[in-house]
């Protein structure tokens, strides 16, 4: 089994990285875990040409978006981490998803698109500077989770779980409770048919 970790935080060894690491630490002995630092990718922005819908792949010049798109296709599960930016995912993660619509959706048959990753699982991690409960009241964490879930659920992934760290601004370490929650979510990526749409 292969799990692809998409770390969309620009902060080295920050909250998102720590939670993703907690989710995969125990799994690394049993499964193949590969990390992608989304903010380090060199990729052009989507130009909304819609040609990828017919071609099955982005038609822009080959770059890291193509390379990571292939990795997403090949992985058995995804683990995605992003800080909340204005109630959304980070811009580089959104760009990566925008450039890889055909990885997630099959629009070849006309009518309503079908998810190409049906049966696969995904886990989500987010952090937010706003403290609890304001991170959810003002839709900061909730918005970031919703935007990533929209992409993954559209692609057919089953969401195995989410972990949110609120009030992360100035926090020096992640609580053991959150690390345990992340580890439990990571295990769900490799077991049974659990998860939610």
């Amino acid at each position: 089994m292969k799990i692809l970790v998409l770390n969309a935080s620009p902060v080295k060894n920050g909250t998102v990285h720590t939670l993703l690491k907690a989710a995969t630490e125990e799994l690394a002995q049993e499964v193949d875990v590969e990390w992608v630092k989304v903010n380090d990718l060199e990729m052009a922005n989507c130009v909304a040409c819609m040609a990828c819908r017919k071609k099955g792949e982005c038609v822009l010049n080959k770059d890291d978006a193509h390379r990571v798109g292939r990795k997403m296709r090949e992985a058995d599960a995804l683990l995605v981490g992003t800080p909340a930016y204005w109630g959304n995912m980070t811009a580089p993660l959104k760009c990566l998803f925008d450039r890889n619509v055909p990885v997630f959706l099959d629009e070849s048959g006309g009518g309503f698109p079908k998810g190409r990753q049906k049966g696969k699982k995904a886990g989500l991690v987010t952090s937010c500077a706003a403290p609890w409960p304001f991170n959810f009241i003002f839709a900061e964490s909730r918005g970031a989770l919703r935007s990533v879930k929209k992409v993954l659920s559209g692609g057919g992934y089953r969401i195995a779980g989410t972990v949110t760290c609120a009030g992360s601004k100035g926090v020096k370490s992640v609580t053991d409770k959150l690390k345990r929650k992340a580890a439990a979510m990571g295990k769900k990526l490799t077991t049974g048919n659990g998860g939610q749409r």
Side-chain angles (χ1 to χ4, degrees):
M1 178 175 195
K2 183 171 186 176
I3 296 176
L4 184 66
V5 180
L6 300 177
N7 180 4
S9 174
V11 180
K12 186 178 180 182
N13 300 324
T15 303
V16 169
H17 170 85
T18 301
L19 290 170
L20 292 171
K21 187 176 174 189
T24 57
E25 235 167 6
E26 291 180 30
L27 302 178
Q29 298 166 354
E30 306 166 19
V31 300
D32 182 13
V33 177
E34 182 176 0
W35 285 67
V36 172
K37 292 168 110 182
V38 177
N39 289 270
D40 291 348
L41 299 178
E42 292 185 15
M43 55 186 171
N45 289 319
C46 174
V47 296
C49 68
M50 306 298 275
C52 66
R53 269 60 168 192
K54 290 181 183 174
K55 299 273 187 183
E57 184 178 54
C58 178
V59 298
L60 295 179
N61 291 333
K62 299 292 184 199
D63 61 14
D64 286 341
H66 294 90
R67 181 178 60 82
V68 178
R70 285 190 294 276
K71 290 179 184 294
M72 288 190 287
R73 280 187 206 270
E74 295 164 3
D76 299 299
L78 277 186
L79 184 56
V80 182
T82 181
Y85 281 14
W86 292 102
N88 211 318
M89 68 183 92
T90 63
L93 182 59
K94 179 70 165 59
C95 179
L96 178 65
F97 287 159
D98 288 345
R99 288 282 308 282
N100 282 288
V101 170
V103 170
F104 299 103
L105 296 177
D106 178 1
E107 299 178 280
S108 62
F112 198 74
K114 295 179 182 150
R116 289 188 188 268
Q117 305 301 324
K118 195 167 176 137
K120 294 184 181 181
K121 292 185 192 176
L124 311 178
V125 166
T126 190
S127 68
C128 181
W132 171 263
F134 301 106
N135 66 313
F136 272 87
I137 291 172
F138 297 118
E140 292 299 320
S141 299
R142 186 165 33 99
L145 290 172
R146 183 174 52 233
S147 64
V148 175
K149 278 183 180 179
K150 180 160 182 65
V151 174
L152 299 180
S153 295
Y157 286 93
R158 295 183 64 79
I159 306 303
T162 63
V163 179
T164 298
C165 180
S168 61
K169 183 178 179 182
V171 171
K172 302 240 189 273
S173 63
V174 175
T175 66
D176 288 339
K177 181 179 179 182
L178 275 180
K179 288 179 186 175
R180 285 193 299 272
K181 185 175 180 183
M185 178 188 62
K187 285 180 186 171
K188 287 181 184 176
L189 293 175
T190 64
T191 59
N193 292 323
Q196 57 193 4
R197 279 276 180 205

